[in-house]
Amino acid sequence: MQLHPTSLALGKLGDDAYRFVDWLAAAGQSWWQMLPLGPPDRAGSPYKSRSAFAAWRGLLGNPSAAVSEDEIAELREREAFWIGNWERVAGGRRAVADQVRFAREWSALRAYATSAGVGLIGDVPIYVAPASADHLAWPELFRSGEVAGAPPDAYSDRGQLWGNPLYDWPALQRRGYAWWTERLRRTFALFDVTRIDHFRGFVAYWAVPEGAADARGGRWRRGPGSAVFDAAARSLGSLPVIAEDLGVITEPVTRLRQSLGFPGMVVMQFGFDPDDPHGPHRLENHEQGSVVYTGTHDHDTLRGWWEGLPDPVRAAAAQQISSAGVEEREPWWSLIRLAFSSRARLAMIQAQDVLGLGSEARMNIPGRATGSWRWRMAPGALTDQHARRLRAATEEAGRLGSG
């Protein structure tokens, strides 16, 4: 199940997080997927964090817990690659102490989740934020004159202007891609698996002139391909990665993902277009090695999506639900069960959909500068009844113990 810690009732680690692990285990769920854990930007987005390595102080269940000098020294040694840079930009010793507190709380939560049979899935944004600790500490690794974005498409005739600094891939290559290796090392020290956001950017990325009003004037530039992951694998071994390969995906992107052995993503909300019978998101076209999502943090909830559907798409979805024999009283539960029927190796749902919440519970609306990243569950919202119902659906689909 996908749920960021900020969406727990108290919005942080601590008792809430442990109770959620207990609920997941009772519901027969094997994975807890989160968004990036770094300090978010002013709008609350964890995808434009002040650091690609540091955890956010706001997640701490006990932000005033005592920290010893020995603990600080041990963390400085273990995280020597990045902690000094973070200390300089984030407040000196207190910033380091907060990372000690996070490591303490996180390691206890992860051990508890492991003992309950629940693995943790993280999320790595491909880019860092402008003027972040990473951008300031390693300016030689980034290009100047262009910023990140996405080209115009069916959803936006102006494209998407993200504004993140772009990597100078030749500069990273000359350094053996060490920065990316250390970033993945940090990620796998925290999570069992991670999703890599905007995976297609490793094949080709959209570069927009700095200062442009929108992304229309950008152009494609070639990415590093497998070299980043090959370098990381030499140091770290096997890379348990889910490749976020949504959007307009070309054959070279698919070849790269497959050559690396990374599962890709399919999204149920994209799978009912009557005019796209060969689309990868249609249930019958799912790859066995992929991960199926009912929706992601960038999509509407299942209820909000269903209630806003055009009649032809709703009819196509209803027909597929009926054919699969997974009709429920509520359409969102039918769609959960339909996702569970996929041949994909893992099925990922969102807490909002188990609760049957509408668009008011949506996590993010891409392109909107404010109002996102704020959804939080009501205390006790996920009940024993929800757990029994989800466990029954999981068991009926033969996914108990695997997702």
Side-chain angles (χ1 to χ4, degrees):
M1 180 177 286
Q2 181 167 290
L3 180 79
H4 198 45
T6 59
S7 293
L8 293 165
L10 297 178
K12 57 187 178 181
L13 306 181
D15 290 345
D16 258 7
Y18 287 88
R19 284 196 295 269
F20 183 60
V21 169
D22 292 339
W23 186 90
L24 287 171
Q29 304 308 293
S30 301
W31 295 99
W32 178 2
Q33 181 167 339
M34 307 176 191
L35 309 183
L37 298 177
D41 68 3
R42 291 181 179 179
S45 173
Y47 290 91
K48 280 197 172 181
S49 173
R50 292 182 64 204
S51 173
F53 295 88
W56 183 34
R57 170 182 168 82
L59 294 173
L60 294 175
N62 186 359
S64 59
V67 172
S68 71
E69 291 302 323
D70 285 346
E71 287 178 299
I72 286 179
E74 191 276 331
L75 184 128
R76 287 188 194 278
E77 181 178 356
R78 186 178 73 248
E79 309 293 352
F81 181 79
W82 61 270
I83 192 62
N85 297 325
W86 180 243
E87 182 178 14
R88 284 188 287 274
V89 303
R93 182 188 181 280
R94 194 191 81 164
V96 181
D98 283 340
Q99 298 308 306
V100 171
R101 295 181 182 104
F102 176 81
R104 186 192 295 160
E105 292 189 18
W106 186 263
S107 61
L109 176 63
R110 187 177 182 188
Y112 186 82
T114 299
S115 70
V118 176
L120 303 182
I121 301 178
D123 197 323
V124 175
I126 185 173
Y127 295 123
V128 303
S132 63
D134 317 287
H135 193 200
L136 297 173
W138 294 286
E140 69 278 7
L141 302 182
F142 300 93
R143 296 171 56 87
S144 60
E146 292 179 318
V147 296
D153 58 20
Y155 301 101
S156 173
D157 58 5
R158 293 177 175 269
Q160 298 178 49
L161 182 58
W162 299 333
N164 304 76
L166 293 168
Y167 296 106
D168 184 335
W169 287 115
L172 281 152
Q173 180 185 35
R174 291 192 295 271
R175 294 160 176 81
Y177 300 104
W179 186 89
W180 263 98
T181 296
E182 292 303 320
R183 188 181 191 188
L184 291 173
R185 187 193 308 278
R186 169 68 169 164
T187 300
F188 294 130
L190 300 175
F191 294 99
D192 301 293
V193 176
T194 195
R195 188 190 85 134
I196 300 285
D197 190 52
H198 197 57
F199 178 78
R200 71 106 54 242
F202 291 97
V203 173
Y205 58 93
W206 191 251
V208 182
E210 195 167 6
D214 56 50
R216 288 177 293 180
R219 61 173 174 165
W220 289 109
R221 291 188 177 275
R222 182 177 295 179
S226 68
V228 171
F229 302 102
D230 294 340
R234 286 193 291 271
S235 293
L236 307 177
S238 176
L239 304 177
V241 164
I242 298 168
E244 187 271 291
D245 55 349
L246 305 179
V248 179
I249 300 302
T250 61
E251 183 59 31
V253 178
T254 301
R255 284 200 304 269
L256 175 63
R257 178 182 62 75
Q258 292 175 340
S259 72
L260 292 167
F262 296 164
M265 292 174 56
V266 290
V267 179
M268 292 300 297
Q269 293 184 25
F270 296 162
F272 305 107
D273 184 350
D275 297 325
D276 188 23
H278 304 295
H281 302 282
R282 293 184 68 89
L283 186 69
E284 63 269 25
N285 299 333
H286 290 182
E287 291 182 5
Q288 188 171 4
S290 63
V291 180
V292 57
Y293 288 74
T294 49
T296 76
H297 62 276
D298 283 333
H299 301 121
D300 206 343
T301 65
L302 283 179
R303 182 172 187 165
W305 172 78
W306 180 268
E307 292 176 347
L309 281 180
D311 289 342
V313 178
R314 184 184 288 109
Q319 192 279 326
Q320 193 149 54
I321 288 168
S322 178
S323 295
V326 294
E327 288 177 283
E328 293 276 350
R329 189 170 58 255
E330 307 94 337
W332 43 96
W333 270 98
S334 300
L335 290 160
I336 288 171
R337 291 187 60 201
L338 191 65
F340 282 177
S341 76
S342 168
R343 67 171 64 92
R345 69 165 71 172
L346 174 63
M348 186 63 62
I349 61 177
Q350 297 195 85
Q352 297 97 310
D353 298 332
V354 172
L355 294 170
L357 300 178
S359 300
E360 76 283 353
R362 182 172 180 165
M363 192 63 170
N364 178 48
I365 300 178
R368 179 177 293 184
T370 60
S372 295
W373 316 110
R374 296 178 180 179
W375 179 73
R376 187 173 290 183
M377 277 195 301
L382 288 171
T383 65
D384 292 344
Q385 183 179 357
H386 287 120
R388 288 192 295 270
R389 187 175 185 182
L390 186 57
R391 186 181 187 92
T394 304
E395 186 170 16
E396 184 176 338
R399 290 184 174 275
L400 206 60
S402 65

